[in-house]
Amino acid sequence: MRHDLTTLNLVLAIEQTRSITRGAAQEHLALAAASKRLSDLESRLGVQLFERRARGVEPTEAGRALVRHIRSLHASLYALETEVMEFSRGIKGHLRIASNTSAIAECLPPYLVEFSQAHAQIRISLEDLTSAEVQAAVAEGRADVGVFTAPVLDNRVQTWVFARGRLAALVPLKHPLANREAVSFDDLLAYDLIGLHAGASAQELMREQAAARGKTLNARLQVRGFDGIAQLVESGLGVAVLPEHPAERFTRVFGVRALRLEESWAERDYYLGVLRQQRLPTVVQRFVDTLIPREKQ
């Protein structure tokens, strides 16, 4: 079923103005022509899009659903136009990367710098998602490459391990554990834990480990971003588990101490993932080459 943009824009205008007459005027259409377009669209879809009332019209549930999709379509068209216009300014490609927060904070930036310097005419966009969301974005074509931690959930995604990191504990300077060099997860479970939002890989890992011990994770606060976690730890609201490198950096900025987390699962791999296909697009292959030596691909 095909729909022309003029009719879809008319639906949006009618929804915005709550009037077929004003919507038609906004789209520079005669009222009779606008009414026919709307009637034909409702017939093709088999649903009523607007309820006619004494003082105008109101969208039905079907109408509201269609308006949401039209707005999404407008956003996609704008992105398409913007990206294509970039080629006239010398841009030779666009690489869409989805990554979890830990990789962005711990291991990804040096690779982005290396790739950007070697391919200055390729535009990079980076989206911060959970590891599960990263894999879904790659599998569904919403991202060209993904960077995430285990588990690997989607067999449509081809993966390589490209870096390794560790988790560390973060505690306030005056905390009872602050005089130690290392702690176990059992030590931390005695206190309120400040973590990332639900779905973040480290947060889910801690829930699993607590459950395996028959304990409940006292997730007092959950926030987006490691900076916010570090500030809350400094305030004495709890302890946290973060990637080791950002945790060490926070000790130079906030009143916190980073401690080694003595657990086998504290060491974890970072995966690079792409959609399985016989031949990768050139831009994607160049990024893979930056992270993964050819002999390991």
Side-chain angles (χ1 to χ4, degrees):
M1 186 179 293
R2 301 175 63 183
H3 306 294
D4 64 274
L5 280 175
T6 300
T7 301
L8 295 180
N9 287 339
L10 172 64
V11 170
L12 191 59
I14 293 172
E15 190 273 339
Q16 290 171 339
T17 62
R18 292 297 198 269
S19 165
I20 297 176
T21 301
R22 290 193 294 272
Q26 183 173 306
E27 294 302 309
H28 308 289
L29 294 170
L31 178 58
S35 296
K36 186 176 188 312
R37 280 180 176 273
L38 180 60
S39 176
D40 289 348
L41 179 60
E42 290 179 325
S43 295
R44 287 201 302 273
L45 294 175
V47 294
Q48 184 179 354
L49 298 175
F50 294 94
E51 293 179 353
R52 281 70 172 175
R53 296 183 178 177
R55 295 187 177 181
V57 297
E58 285 291 329
T60 62
E61 286 301 317
R64 292 189 184 94
L66 179 59
V67 165
R68 286 197 301 271
H69 285 289
I70 294 172
R71 287 182 174 139
S72 177
L73 175 62
H74 276 200
S76 296
L77 289 173
Y78 176 78
L80 182 152
E81 182 180 359
T82 301
E83 184 172 337
V84 170
M85 286 177 63
E86 286 183 339
F87 285 87
S88 67
R89 301 196 294 269
I91 297 297
K92 300 299 184 184
H94 180 199
L95 182 68
R96 301 168 301 162
I97 303 173
S99 174
N100 72 347
T101 303
S102 295
I104 294 172
E106 189 163 34
C107 63
L108 189 57
Y111 293 104
L112 294 179
V113 171
E114 180 182 348
F115 182 80
S116 297
Q117 290 176 343
H119 306 92
Q121 293 177 314
I122 295 176
R123 183 167 70 88
I124 299 173
S125 61
L126 177 62
E127 186 174 10
D128 182 355
L129 301 172
T130 67
S131 288
E133 291 169 342
V134 168
Q135 294 176 66
V138 172
E140 295 165 9
R142 292 180 281 110
D144 300 309
V145 296
V147 180
F148 54 92
T149 52
V152 178
L153 302 170
D154 199 315
N155 60 14
R156 292 174 293 175
V157 179
Q158 181 180 359
T159 63
W160 301 269
V161 174
F162 77 95
R164 178 160 287 187
R166 280 196 63 86
L167 293 170
L170 201 68
V171 302
L173 287 178
K174 296 183 179 180
H175 193 273
L177 299 175
N179 60 346
R180 300 192 190 181
E181 294 297 324
V183 292
S184 69
F185 190 53
D186 286 307
D187 294 328
L188 299 179
L189 285 173
Y191 302 95
D192 289 330
L193 277 154
I194 300 168
L196 287 169
H197 52 283
S201 57
Q203 193 71 15
E204 297 307 310
L205 180 58
M206 288 193 294
R207 288 187 189 282
E208 293 171 5
Q209 291 299 322
R213 291 165 165 79
K215 298 182 179 180
T216 301
L217 190 69
N218 297 321
R220 182 176 184 180
L221 295 167
Q222 290 177 267
V223 298
R224 283 191 175 270
F226 293 141
D227 285 20
I229 291 175
Q231 291 181 65
L232 292 171
V233 170
E234 179 186 47
S235 300
L237 290 171
V239 299
V241 172
L242 300 179
E244 191 173 55
H245 290 172
E248 288 291 345
R249 289 197 297 270
F250 289 140
T251 63
R252 299 191 290 271
V253 180
F254 302 106
V256 295
R257 181 120 192 272
L259 312 176
R260 183 176 178 84
L261 183 58
E262 294 287 4
E263 300 287 345
S264 59
W265 50 266
E267 188 168 356
R268 56 189 189 154
D269 293 326
Y270 286 103
Y271 291 87
L272 172 69
V274 300
L275 183 65
R276 288 188 185 277
Q277 49 195 305
Q278 287 201 339
R279 186 179 180 85
L280 293 177
T282 301
V283 172
V284 176
Q285 184 63 63
R286 288 177 180 176
F287 187 73
V288 173
D289 292 343
T290 301
L291 276 68
I292 311 294
R294 277 282 183 169
E295 61 271 17
K296 293 186 178 180
Q297 292 181 30

